[in-house]
Amino acid sequence: MRGAKSAKWLAGAIVVALAATACSSGEKDDKAAAGDSKRYVSINVGEPQKGIIPSDTNESNGSYIVDAVFAGLLTFDDKGGIEYLNAESVTTEDSKLWTVKLKEGWKFHDGTPVTAKSYVDAWNWSAHVDNVQQNSFWFGDIAGYDDVHPAKEGAKAKADTMSGLKVVDDTTFTIELKEAMPFYQYKIGYSTFAPLPEAFFKDPKAFSEKPIGNGPYEFEKWDHNKVIKVKAYGEYKGANKAKNAGVEYKTYETPEAAYQDLMSGNLDIIDQVGPTDLANYESDLGDRAISQSYAAVQTLTPAFYSKSFKDIDVKVLQGLSMAIDRETITKTVLQGTRTPADGFVAPGAQGKQTLDTDVFKFDAAKAKQLIEDGGGVPGNKIFIQYNTDGGHKEWVTAVCNSITKATGVECEGDAKPDFATDLEARDNDQVKSFYRGGWVGDYPLNGNFIKELYHSQAESNNGHFEDKKLDDAMNKADASKTLEEYVAAYQEVEKELVNHMPSIPLWFYEMNGGHGEEVDNVHVDWHGQYKLFDVTVK
Amino acid sequence: MGHYVARRLLQMIPVFIGSTLLVFLMMYALPGDPVRALAGEKAADPTQIAKLKADLGLDQPILVQYWNYLTGLFQGDFGTQIASRRPVADVIAEAWPVTAQLAIFALVFTAVVGIGMGVIAGLKPNSVQDRVLLFITLLLVSIPSFVLGRLTQTFFAFQLGWVEPNVSLEENWHELLMPAAVLAALSLAYVARLTRTSVVENLRSDYIRTAVAKGLPRRRVVGVHLVRNSMIPVVTYLGADLGTLLAGAVVTEGIFNIHGIGLTVFEALQRREGSTVVGIVSLIVMVYLIASLLVDLLYAVLDPRIRYA
């Protein structure tokens, strides 16, 4: 029996050890008292992919935090117009040399002043190749960018700063561009162009965990994978001053869990409604439900190098476009979370127009006719490439059914296990016929939805659409003297795109969300993010 | 005894190295480049990709990468996440406690309720209570955990208002009871059935007949002779189940919004965070190994005929 006895002790010891590791979760914070008028507003925004640095943040969770903690030169109103924040004015005479004047008396949250140097240093640092910032290409229009960020793989930077940026005095700096760009002030509205304080350059890594900005909210704490807290900055001088005490960005593992917490009053705002709750959220929430379209589009983009679409007649693509019953699919399969596309430019962008065409309308007979006239699809079969981790399978299947039913062209989804694999196939030119394209506007101008996707030199033109005439028209539009001319020129380009179909626009995104009874004034901006500074607590 | 344990612990080393290598190779074999994916729909700058990969050591041959990982591991370094650049050890340390707590609650719940139900049913085979048990376990086995999770949420949180639907950020232990019960439901059914079968079988064994014949009180016959000897298959199952509970809680964690290991590894897998996946899987492998050692030692406790030398 000796063996059995010592086994008993050993087994007991292991159990105790395992239990001890389980219980060592440490002390916890006290929960903030509910019903407090100074209480924070909570929203389900997940863990940002990376540390918070404006020039390294390119996904929506992180940009919520960047927008709260930092204030750039300007922002956009609901109609795609410009609203100055930190800038007093942004002016130019030739669209090539821009002069930025800052408002006086602005401070970072650590008390240091926001000066022209804060901007110039931040931009130079962000553009530099050695600092590997995800958004560095955004500074590519500034003269001298190629010296700090050479295009060739493996090349070393020739300079530390861009020659195009010059500090004039404490509140003035100039930006010289490589070429004239009439809409450049729109580009600098992107949050990447935020200023950075002195403290950043001492230790960027530590800064990214506890950023110090000049925005409406001061960073408070980051409990990884659980919550980020920011509190209102009392001395903030911008138009988007916080009307609440602060914001809590809570991570939810599923949109359904967030919805449950909204319903039980543990969460104030949700920015996404899960598929299970879509059918009933409007009746559950009444006038507290939110659905609003924003500047983003989903497309089927043909790979013009593929067997299916090499030297294809545009009539075939027009036919395929007309074979998709957008109305029914957005209503049923997508449960009203998208609005059918009627053009290449999404609503919310300046220059959005109604095109005089029927290629976005469902018409089975005409679709069939067009495809026949165009000589049909090689092999009478097409594929739609998509990633299975993004909830796309359902609508891809529906689109395929719609095409096959209307025209007899066989259609199959080409599933990639995740987004990374999907991108790899696009980068390596392995798309079999269509890939699922998506584009959220960087700035609210129609050109952003056209040039960045369909110019032969555009980096995101993975389908390799190429048309010399359209390239010229876009280059000419970019060189317009005024913004009005620019927008009008791109409207012409959009009209012409219908005759080339570089992609088949499917639908525009709609943001579906809602808020609880304790908060009010919940509004959505042009690219589908909540204006959290506006939210008030009842 | 001591020799036996030492031998088992030594055997863990090759198993541990083998399993980490396998997972490492599998992650490497997956298509899709996590560094490229950081740029999303925008085109990626090859210079930046190359530089990021060099910083993270991802430009090395796979076996060199594995060697670096392994040597780092023995110095307590689990590696760095690709996107967030945070130490993987921190990420695991944040997610681990709540999952371990959940798994242990679930295990205790499974053992106490499952064995209890099994004994009650097994003592009177084919009686009403046996039939009821059969029905309940059948129900539990056939309801998927996400249905059960949503059902308990709706019923206890919204209809009765006894609890909050989700586990709060503080992760108080009493909030974990409902998720643990849901997590335990499936294993509970298996444990109950295993116990019942084992009890029914042992009721007919010689030593029970002897015990009854020599006039031992019924409590002692059932409590010591019958139940203890019937526990061998149940303990085997529970040992293996601990690992499953730890790794397989993805669905339950998602429903009750628990920021635990299951969802961390799921997310890491989607983002191709190789070092995070390998780190968590290695930890789970360790738990499996320790649990199976524990089970083997318990055999000797339960059945005096089993000896380890």
Side-chain angles (χ1 to χ4, degrees):
Chain A
M1 283 301 275
R2 238 196 58 140
K5 213 171 232 165
S6 55
K8 217 182 264 179
W9 281 109
L10 241 156
I14 297 176
V15 168
V16 170
L18 278 178
T21 55
C23 297
S24 61
S25 46
E27 77 281 2
K28 312 268 163 145
D29 294 302
D30 286 332
K31 210 175 173 180
D36 187 351
S37 66
K38 295 291 272 176
R39 86 187 181 95
Y40 285 21
V41 172
S42 57
I43 178 171
N44 71 320
V45 167
E47 170 87 355
Q49 213 174 47
K50 304 180 192 175
I52 303 300
I53 298 177
S55 55
D56 211 20
T57 299
N58 63 348
E59 40 83 43
S60 62
N61 292 342
S63 41
Y64 256 114
I65 315 296
V66 170
D67 286 348
V69 177
F70 294 91
L73 294 169
L74 49 90
T75 185
F76 308 114
D77 61 25
D78 298 338
K79 295 189 186 77
I82 281 175
E83 201 175 280
Y84 288 122
L85 286 179
N86 198 174
E88 178 77 46
S89 66
V90 179
T91 51
T92 184
E93 277 174 14
D94 55 359
S95 298
K96 196 171 175 201
L97 183 71
W98 294 75
T99 308
V100 179
K101 272 199 185 313
L102 301 177
K103 283 182 185 142
E104 299 214 10
W106 278 50
K107 282 198 171 77
F108 285 107
H109 303 144
D110 61 356
T112 54
V114 182
T115 63
K117 197 167 172 294
S118 323
Y119 279 92
V120 172
D121 286 354
W123 297 5
N124 277 326
W125 188 90
S126 306
H128 202 280
V129 66
D130 287 350
N131 298 326
V132 254
Q133 295 298 291
Q134 208 62 251
N135 298 335
S136 53
F137 67 93
W138 273 88
F139 301 95
D141 310 306
I142 301 172
Y145 174 79
D146 298 329
D147 291 336
V148 298
H149 199 128
K152 230 180 92 202
E153 192 172 340
K156 287 257 184 305
K158 276 186 272 174
D160 284 338
T161 55
M162 290 183 277
S163 58
L165 295 177
K166 285 200 182 73
V167 176
V168 177
D169 59 44
D170 261 6
T171 54
T172 319
F173 68 99
T174 57
I175 312 163
E176 197 196 332
L177 303 179
K178 287 182 197 157
E179 284 157 32
M181 274 174 106
F183 60 98
Y184 194 67
Q185 75 272 38
Y186 271 83
K187 273 201 135 173
I188 54 179
Y190 189 58
S191 51
T192 291
F193 290 88
L196 292 168
E198 287 288 327
F200 169 81
F201 301 98
K202 284 186 199 120
D203 189 353
K205 176 93 179 80
F207 181 93
S208 73
E209 287 283 309
K210 202 174 185 338
I212 301 162
N214 63 331
Y217 291 97
E218 202 178 333
F219 193 86
E220 208 176 331
K221 90 174 203 189
W222 186 347
D223 218 349
H224 282 283
N225 282 310
K226 285 182 189 163
V227 68
I228 292 181
K229 278 186 184 176
V230 297
K231 66 167 178 240
Y233 178 55
E235 288 171 60
Y236 185 68
K237 295 193 164 119
N240 56 345
K241 193 173 167 66
K243 292 185 181 125
N244 44 52
V247 182
E248 275 185 344
Y249 304 88
K250 288 186 183 173
T251 302
Y252 281 88
E253 306 294 358
T254 60
E256 282 81 12
Y259 189 78
Q260 302 267 13
D261 258 9
L262 179 80
M263 296 302 288
S264 63
N266 290 328
L267 183 70
D268 293 322
I269 305 171
I270 51 169
D271 75 336
Q272 196 188 354
V273 178
T276 12
D277 301 307
L278 267 177
N280 55 318
Y281 86 103
E282 276 176 326
S283 60
D284 280 355
L285 295 174
D287 59 355
R288 292 182 284 114
I290 294 168
S291 66
Q292 187 180 324
S293 58
Y294 63 94
V297 63
Q298 194 153 61
T299 59
L300 292 186
T301 311
F304 288 98
Y305 54 79
S306 66
K307 252 194 235 151
S308 310
F309 296 127
K310 201 167 166 50
D311 304 317
I312 195 82
D313 191 320
V314 69
K315 279 184 189 155
V316 176
L317 293 171
Q318 286 169 334
L320 288 172
S321 174
M322 294 185 76
I324 301 165
D325 188 353
R326 295 176 177 77
E327 287 286 337
T328 312
I329 296 173
T330 49
K331 245 181 236 147
T332 55
V333 178
L334 293 165
Q335 306 196 57
T337 58
R338 312 270 203 285
T339 40
D342 58 355
F344 295 88
V345 176
Q350 272 197 50
K352 166 80 191 152
Q353 58 187 343
T354 315
L355 294 170
D356 180 28
T357 173
D358 59 354
V359 296
F360 305 113
K361 280 224 177 67
F362 177 61
D363 185 338
K366 197 167 172 201
K368 200 167 180 179
Q369 189 59 43
L370 273 169
I371 291 174
E372 265 169 37
D373 291 353
V377 184
N380 202 34
K381 181 160 189 177
I382 54 168
F383 296 90
I384 300 175
Q385 178 181 310
Y386 68 99
N387 48 313
T388 48
D389 61 348
H392 302 298
K393 186 173 186 229
E394 290 75 13
W395 68 256
V396 167
T397 314
V399 165
C400 267
N401 285 343
S402 182
I403 289 176
T404 310
K405 225 171 132 191
T407 66
V409 175
E410 271 183 73
C411 176
E412 205 177 288
D414 181 13
K416 301 287 174 196
D418 52 28
F419 193 42
T421 319
D422 182 73
L423 285 174
E424 196 168 74
R426 294 193 212 174
D427 285 350
N428 296 341
D429 292 353
Q430 289 163 342
V431 177
K432 283 196 227 161
S433 39
F434 283 115
Y435 68 85
R436 171 199 74 85
W439 187 261
V440 183
D442 295 317
Y443 41 89
L445 288 180
N446 55 355
N448 183 244
F449 285 84
I450 298 171
K451 169 87 184 284
E452 303 292 329
L453 294 171
Y454 309 126
H455 192 284
S456 63
Q457 299 300 316
E459 288 179 329
S460 300
N461 180 358
N462 282 323
H464 301 317
F465 172 74
E466 205 176 336
D467 187 90
K468 183 91 188 27
K469 265 198 211 142
L470 280 173
D471 277 2
D472 288 344
M474 287 185 235
N475 293 340
K476 231 179 105 200
D478 280 355
S480 321
K481 288 258 153 35
T482 65
L483 188 66
E484 289 74 32
E485 281 177 36
Y486 167 88
V487 170
Y490 268 108
Q491 285 184 321
E492 289 310 309
V493 176
E494 193 190 4
K495 282 177 194 158
E496 192 50 38
L497 284 181
V498 174
N499 303 323
H500 294 87
M501 298 301 281
S503 78
I504 298 178
L506 292 172
W507 31 69
F508 304 125
Y509 279 81
E510 207 167 271
M511 117 86 111
N512 299 88
H515 62 89
E517 279 163 3
E518 290 173 36
V519 294
D520 214 350
N521 290 318
V522 183
H523 305 296
V524 182
D525 69 7
W526 67 278
H527 65 327
Q529 285 203 350
Y530 283 113
K531 295 191 239 179
L532 291 172
F533 60 87
D534 244 356
V535 176
T536 52
V537 178
K538 277 183 195 164
Chain B
M1 186 67 208
H3 282 286
Y4 175 75
V5 174
R7 208 168 63 225
R8 285 288 300 262
L9 287 174
L10 279 177
Q11 278 169 2
M12 283 184 191
I13 296 172
V15 175
F16 181 76
I17 292 178
S19 61
T20 48
L21 178 63
L22 259 181
V23 179
F24 209 89
L25 291 175
M26 283 179 197
M27 283 306 291
Y28 190 80
L30 286 176
D33 180 348
V35 182
R36 160 67 183 92
L38 289 177
E41 306 260 351
K42 310 261 179 188
D45 178 349
T47 312
Q48 294 205 161
I49 292 185
K51 198 164 162 11
L52 273 173
K53 282 193 171 166
D55 287 355
L56 292 159
L58 296 174
D59 53 341
Q60 311 269 7
I62 172 72
L63 286 174
V64 177
Q65 280 187 44
Y66 179 67
W67 176 247
N68 289 341
Y69 179 79
L70 212 59
T71 46
L73 207 58
F74 284 114
Q75 294 157 24
D77 177 11
F78 277 74
T80 312
Q81 282 206 317
I82 294 165
S84 68
R85 301 300 195 86
R86 300 182 60 221
V88 173
D90 286 5
V91 176
I92 297 179
E94 282 157 15
W96 187 253
V98 67
T99 300
Q101 233 170 320
L102 186 69
I104 289 175
F105 279 177
L107 196 71
V108 171
F109 189 75
T110 310
V112 173
V113 181
I115 294 173
M117 279 165 65
V119 171
I120 293 170
L123 283 176
K124 283 192 185 157
N126 299 322
S127 63
V128 177
Q129 61 214 40
D130 190 23
R131 295 286 155 81
V132 170
L133 174 95
L134 190 76
F135 177 73
I136 294 175
T137 53
L138 196 68
L139 205 67
L140 288 179
V141 170
S142 50
I143 299 179
S145 57
F146 58 89
V147 175
L148 200 63
R150 294 292 293 245
L151 268 178
T152 52
Q153 240 176 2
T154 313
F155 189 67
F156 291 108
F158 288 106
Q159 309 256 330
L160 295 174
W162 290 355
V163 289
E164 295 292 347
N166 290 327
V167 172
S168 71
L169 294 173
E170 285 79 31
E171 289 162 359
N172 298 317
W173 67 269
H174 60 84
E175 295 170 335
L176 290 172
L177 291 182
M178 188 163 75
V182 171
L183 186 60
L186 185 66
S187 323
L188 179 91
Y190 286 127
V191 167
R193 290 208 159 186
L194 270 176
T195 312
R196 184 224 170 242
T197 314
S198 188
V199 165
V200 169
E201 208 168 283
N202 286 334
L203 265 181
R204 292 193 293 266
S205 63
D206 294 341
Y207 59 85
I208 293 293
R209 204 179 319 129
T210 310
V212 174
K214 75 180 178 185
L216 285 180
R218 186 172 160 78
R219 266 180 60 188
R220 194 164 166 77
V221 173
V222 174
V224 178
H225 295 270
L226 178 66
V227 173
R228 190 162 157 178
N229 281 295
S230 307
M231 280 303 101
I232 299 248
V234 178
V235 164
T236 315
Y237 178 79
L238 284 177
D241 200 39
L242 179 64
T244 319
L245 289 174
L246 280 173
V250 185
V251 176
T252 319
E253 286 183 5
I255 292 171
F256 296 102
N257 201 39
I258 300 165
H259 306 273
I261 284 289
L263 282 158
T264 306
V265 75
F266 180 67
E267 200 181 86
L269 205 68
Q270 281 193 323
R271 287 194 189 165
R272 297 282 185 284
E273 294 277 5
S275 49
T276 315
V277 175
V278 181
I280 293 177
V281 173
S282 324
L283 261 178
I284 293 173
V285 169
M286 287 306 289
V287 173
Y288 257 114
L289 291 174
I290 294 173
S292 68
L293 174 61
L294 192 70
V295 166
D296 286 347
L297 293 176
L298 276 175
Y299 286 166
V301 179
L302 294 169
D303 188 341
R305 287 170 297 188
I306 299 172
R307 294 274 173 98
Y308 296 117

